[in-house]
Amino acid sequence: MLDYMREHSKSVLIYILFAIIIMAFILTFGPGSITKCDLTPKYVAKVNGRVLTLDEYRIELQQLQSYYESRFGDAFTPKLAERLGLRRSALENLIQDRLMVEEAKRLGIFVSDDEVLNEVSNLSWAKEKGKFNFDRFEKMVRYHFKTSLAKFKERLRSQIAISRFKALLKGSVMVSDAEIEDRFDLENEKVDLEYLQFDPGNYKDSISITAQDVSNYLEKHDKEARNYYDEHERMYNKPKAVRARRILIKVDADTSDRVKKRLKRRAKKLRRRVIKGIDFAKIAKKYSDGPKKEQGGDMGFIEPGMVEPAMEKELFKLGKGEISEVFETSTGYNIVKVEDIRPAVVKKYEDVKDEIARRLIMQEQSVEMAKKDAENALNKVKSGMSFTDFMAAFDNAEDKNNKDIPIAVKPKKSMTGPFTRDREDIPWIGKSAELLKEAFDMEKGKVVPKVYHINGKFFIVRVRDHIMPNMQDLEKQRGLLRYRIRDEKARELLADWMKHAREEASVEVASNLGMMNKQ
C-alpha cells in the first residue's frame, strides 16, 4: 500500500485518500472527538432519579476539608484526608441530604428566596469588618467552592429545608419524668474507690532467667516466639529514616497565581540565605509557617509513609547536611535540610530468638507473680485489714516473704476520686463494665470480692464512699435534662429514619466517580 502511494503520490485520488485519513484522525483523536475518553463524571450519583451534581459534591468535600484543616492545621495532608475517607463521607452526606430534602418537600416545608438571602448575609466567611461583603462572597464561591452563585444559593436553600425537617423531627420527641429522673440518678450517684494496683512490670527485678530456661522455652514454644517476631517485626526491622528541618511558606487553597509566585520567590530568597551559611534553624524559627517553627523546623526522624509523597521524595534523595531546592506540597512551598540519616536495620528471627524468649518468659512469670500477690492481698483485706494497714505492714516487714504479708513486690495504693455511673472507664483504673456495676451495687466500706485484671494490671478495690444524689437538685436540672434527652432521642430518631429511607431509596453512584477521585 505504501509503495503504491509513493508511486502515485501526485494523483488526485491519493490527495483525496490523505484528506479522508486526516479527517478521520481528527474526528477520532482530536478535541471533541467522538472516541475521546472523558473520565470526569457528569454527575456523582442519582437519588430516586434526581441527579447529584459534581458542583454539589465539590462544595460538600470542600466544607469537610475546611473543617479538618481547622482541626489538624498543617498536619492535615491529602494522605490523612484519604485515611479519613472524606470523599466517601462527602458523597454519603450528599445522598442523605437529598433524602431529607425530598422528605421536607413531601411535608410541605418551603424556603423562600428572602430566607436564602438572609442566610447568605450571615455567612461569617463572607463578612469583612463585621459586614457582609458581596465581592468576598462571590470570590469564595467561585474560587474556593468552585461553583456558581446560583448553585451555591440552591445548596443553602436545601440546608435550610434540612434544618427545618430536623427541627420538626425533634419537636415530635416526648421525654417523660421517669426518663429525667433515671438520667439524674445516672449522672449524680457517685462512688469513690480505693485500690491496690499490682503491675507485672514491677516484678522484672524479682525474676531470674537462665540460658537453660531460654533453651527449654524455645524447644516447647518456638511457634509462639516466631509469631511474636512476625507481630513485632518493626521492632527488629527498621526502615531507613532521615532527620530533617523544614521551612514552610504556606499557600492557602484559594491563593491566586500572582500571590503564589510572590510566595515562591520568598521561599527561594530564604533558600539562598541558608545556602550561604546562615543557620537553618534560625531562619525556620523566624520565617517558617510550619507547625515546628518554634523548634527551628525540626521534623524529627521521618520514615517512608510518614509524610506526603512530594515531601518524602525530596527528603530521601538528600545526603546528610544537604539542602533541597524549593518544592511544593499540599501546604505550600518547602525547603528541607537533612541533619542525620539512620540506616535501615534488619534482624532475622535467628538473631533475636533468645531475646524474644526472655521477653516472653518474663511476661508470663511477672503476670503470674502479680496475680498471685493480688489474690493474697485480697484475702488479707477481706479478713478485715485496711488497705493502709496492709501497706504499713509490708513496709515494716523485715522478711518480704513474711506469711502475714505474703507478697513479693509492694503494690501502688491510690484512689479514683468520686465519679458517676455514666462513664465507660473508671478513673486511673481503666475500662471494666463489670467492676463499674459491682462498685455501684456495693455499700460504703465494702471490698469488691474479686481481683480484676484491667489493662495488663491487677486490682483489688474497696468502696471508699458511695454518694447518693441530692433529690433537691433534681428540679434545678429538670429543664436542662429534658432538653438533652430530647436532643439525644431526636438524633436516634433521625438515624432510624435515615436507615429506613436509605434502604427504600434508589441510589445509583456514577461508575467513573472513582476515576475523578484519583485526579
Side-chain angles (χ1 to χ4, degrees), residues 169-351:
L169 209 61
K170 186 175 181 177
S172 69
V173 172
M174 303 298 293
V175 180
S176 69
D177 287 341
E179 287 177 295
I180 294 172
E181 289 161 12
D182 287 345
R183 178 62 63 86
F184 177 77
D185 288 343
L186 184 69
E187 295 181 355
N188 289 275
E189 182 184 2
K190 298 177 182 178
V191 293
D192 183 3
L193 305 181
E194 181 182 30
Y195 63 88
L196 296 182
Q197 173 188 291
F198 297 81
D199 185 350
N202 295 333
Y203 286 76
K204 293 179 181 179
D205 293 340
S206 303
I207 298 171
S208 177
I209 301 171
T210 66
Q212 188 60 48
D213 292 333
V214 170
S215 178
N216 292 342
Y217 183 89
L218 289 172
E219 187 176 337
K220 296 179 181 179
H221 303 287
D222 183 68
K223 183 178 179 181
E224 288 88 337
R226 287 183 182 275
N227 287 342
Y228 183 91
Y229 175 83
D230 292 339
E231 291 169 4
H232 300 81
E233 190 173 358
R234 284 186 63 85
M235 288 175 57
Y236 306 106
N237 298 303
K238 295 182 179 180
K240 176 184 175 182
V242 297
R243 182 167 189 170
R245 291 187 185 273
R246 173 197 191 194
I247 297 170
L248 169 68
I249 303 302
K250 190 173 181 180
V251 178
D252 295 326
D254 58 345
T255 301
S256 67
D257 289 341
R258 182 177 60 81
V259 175
K260 284 182 70 175
K261 287 179 181 178
R262 179 170 58 80
L263 293 174
K264 189 172 185 179
R265 286 197 300 271
R266 181 185 175 197
K268 288 182 175 181
K269 183 178 179 181
L270 292 175
R271 182 182 182 275
R272 286 195 295 270
R273 294 181 68 180
V274 295
I275 287 292
K276 288 179 179 178
I278 298 178
D279 185 68
F280 194 99
K282 288 183 179 179
I283 294 294
K285 190 169 184 178
K286 187 172 183 179
Y287 297 105
S288 178
D289 299 320
K292 298 294 184 180
K293 171 178 179 163
E294 293 304 316
Q295 292 76 38
D298 188 2
M299 301 175 71
F301 275 100
I302 305 295
E303 296 179 0
M306 289 176 63
V307 292
E308 62 179 283
M311 176 67 72
E312 183 178 307
K313 180 181 176 182
E314 293 295 327
L315 286 172
F316 283 88
K317 75 180 184 183
L318 296 173
K320 184 175 179 178
E322 292 183 343
I323 297 171
S324 73
E325 298 288 340
V326 173
F327 64 96
E328 188 173 3
T329 63
S330 61
T331 52
Y333 296 112
N334 303 262
I335 311 138
V336 291
K337 178 182 180 181
V338 171
E339 296 198 330
D340 196 8
I341 297 176
R342 188 180 67 199
V345 176
V346 179
K347 293 181 180 179
K348 296 180 180 179
Y349 171 70
E350 293 300 324
D351 300 328

Side-chain angles (χ1 to χ4, degrees), residues 437-456:
K437 181 181 184 305
E438 193 156 20
F440 274 90
D441 288 343
M442 298 186 73
E443 297 176 1
K444 177 180 177 178
K446 295 294 184 180
V447 175
V448 176
K450 64 176 278 189
V451 172
Y452 276 86
H453 188 207
I454 303 170
N455 294 338

Side-chain angles (χ1 to χ4, degrees), residues 19 115 121 187 386:
E115 288 171 312
S121 67
E187 295 181 355
S386 71

